[in-house]
Amino acid sequence: MDKLPKIALPAIFIFIVVIIAISKSTVTIDSGQAGVLYKTFGGGVVTDEPPMGEGFHLVAPWNRVTIYEVRQQEVLEKMNVLSSNGLDIKLEASAWFEPIRNDLGKLHQEKGEDYISRVLLPTIRSAARSVVGRYTPEQLYSSKRDAIQQEIFDETQKIVSGQYIQLNEILVRDVTLPPTIKDAIERKLKQEQESLEYEFRLVTAKKEAEKVTIEAQGKADANRILSASLTDKILQDKGIDATLKLSESPNSKVIVVGGGDSGLPLILGNN
């Protein structure tokens, strides 16, 4: 019985050491993540193999695993940039990106865990300043927003394509101009809109006048042709036909006698 404590203490110590070793040797990688293995005695960061996938993993206790998010992520950047005429513009843009999974080891080795602040954000700022500097405040405020967004994406993509980062989209969230410049642009756009509306009304009125003129000319031409084609004989025949129809009406009592100067029958009265 006196020997029991002496045996139990080393056993407890060994058990604790085993538990610590096991806890240090297990890694659980969650959904949307991947792990980069660092071999302390085996050449450092593993770059020639795919990263560790989701799930439970056993690793040697002297090695380390760094876990990265490999799903699409978003980073928002607010910056001050200059327009083509030197005015200060506040630009808010966000990037959708993800690290290239199979190059995760190289990303970890060359850029580190803070690759977003080291690589991506400086690249976005540089591309935005370069692109915005080509445009006037008026273009930034109105018609060129989509073009600017695409150009910032293209320039950012050129740089990060070799940095083990996949850039999916650049979104220009907001462009803020100095208040005086914004008010001046809005007044100009309003005046241009009113001018376009006035021109539209002038064109519409002109077309309507042309339509009325064409219709009137058509009627005049038709009357002239009709007048030229009517002879005394035709007029007499039409007058007789009309008189006969009147005489056939049950509600009319017509007395027709003689002929007028034109040779047509005369209606003297009806009851």
Side-chain angles (χ1 to χ4, degrees):
M1 297 294 295
D2 294 336
K3 293 183 178 180
L4 183 59
K6 295 181 180 180
I7 297 173
L9 289 175
I12 293 172
F13 176 77
I14 292 172
F15 177 76
I16 292 174
V17 170
V18 170
I19 292 299
I20 293 174
I22 291 175
S23 65
K24 293 289 186 179
S25 301
T26 60
V27 175
T28 300
I29 299 177
D30 292 335
S31 175
Q33 296 179 336
V36 176
L37 179 63
Y38 178 86
K39 294 182 178 180
T40 304
F41 304 109
V45 178
V46 176
T47 59
D48 55 353
E49 296 179 7
M52 300 169 66
E54 301 172 3
F56 181 81
H57 300 270
L58 285 173
V59 297
W62 52 84
N63 292 337
R64 298 195 307 270
V65 176
T66 304
I67 297 176
Y68 281 84
E69 183 85 16
V70 292
R71 289 176 290 202
Q72 178 173 278
Q73 303 165 63
E74 181 179 22
V75 61
L76 180 66
E77 181 69 357
K78 297 179 180 180
M79 66 201 89
N80 289 343
V81 293
L82 297 178
S83 64
S84 61
N85 55 359
L87 288 175
D88 187 55
I89 308 295
K90 292 182 179 180
L91 183 71
E92 183 176 320
S94 63
W96 293 351
F97 71 97
E98 57 193 86
I100 298 176
R101 186 184 183 90
N102 290 336
D103 292 332
L104 203 56
K106 295 179 181 178
L107 177 68
H108 179 70
Q109 185 181 59
E110 298 180 20
K111 312 302 176 185
E113 295 178 69
D114 54 348
Y115 68 94
I116 296 175
S117 60
R118 283 186 175 185
V119 178
L120 188 59
L121 290 180
T123 303
I124 294 173
R125 288 193 290 267
S126 176
R129 291 189 178 102
S130 174
V131 171
V132 172
R134 304 170 193 162
Y135 294 95
T136 64
E138 185 176 351
Q139 291 172 323
L140 295 171
Y141 186 75
S142 56
S143 60
K144 296 296 183 180
R145 178 74 64 88
D146 292 339
I148 292 167
Q149 180 172 286
Q150 184 61 43
E151 289 181 30
I152 294 175
F153 173 83
D154 292 340
E155 293 209 10
T156 305
Q157 173 70 9
K158 290 177 184 178
I159 299 174
V160 302
S161 60
Q163 306 296 323
Y164 318 116
I165 302 171
Q166 177 180 311
L167 184 66
N168 297 332
E169 190 67 79
I170 291 286
L171 302 174
V172 175
R173 301 291 188 181
D174 186 42
V175 176
T176 304
L177 305 178
T180 54
I181 301 300
K182 180 180 177 182
D183 293 342
I185 291 173
E186 289 179 347
R187 286 196 301 270
K188 181 179 178 181
L189 292 176
K190 183 179 180 180
Q191 290 172 356
E192 290 177 351
Q193 183 64 32
E194 291 174 349
S195 177
L196 290 174
E197 291 177 357
Y198 180 70
E199 290 180 4
F200 176 76
R201 289 196 297 269
L202 287 178
V203 171
T204 303
K206 182 179 179 181
K207 289 183 177 180
E208 186 65 26
E210 291 176 351
K211 178 182 177 183
V212 172
T213 301
I214 292 172
E215 290 177 350
Q217 186 64 42
K219 291 179 180 179
D221 292 342
N223 290 335
R224 186 172 60 254
I225 294 171
L226 180 61
S227 298
S229 63
L230 291 177
T231 63
D232 293 340
K233 178 61 176 174
I234 293 175
L235 290 173
Q236 290 177 357
D237 290 341
K238 288 185 176 291
I240 293 171
D241 291 339
T243 303
L244 291 174
K245 288 181 180 179
L246 286 172
S247 66
E248 294 172 355
S249 173
N251 298 323
S252 300
K253 296 179 180 180
V254 181
I255 300 174
V256 181
V257 297
D261 295 335
S262 62
L264 297 173
L266 295 174
I267 301 174
L268 298 180
N270 57 12
N271 296 322

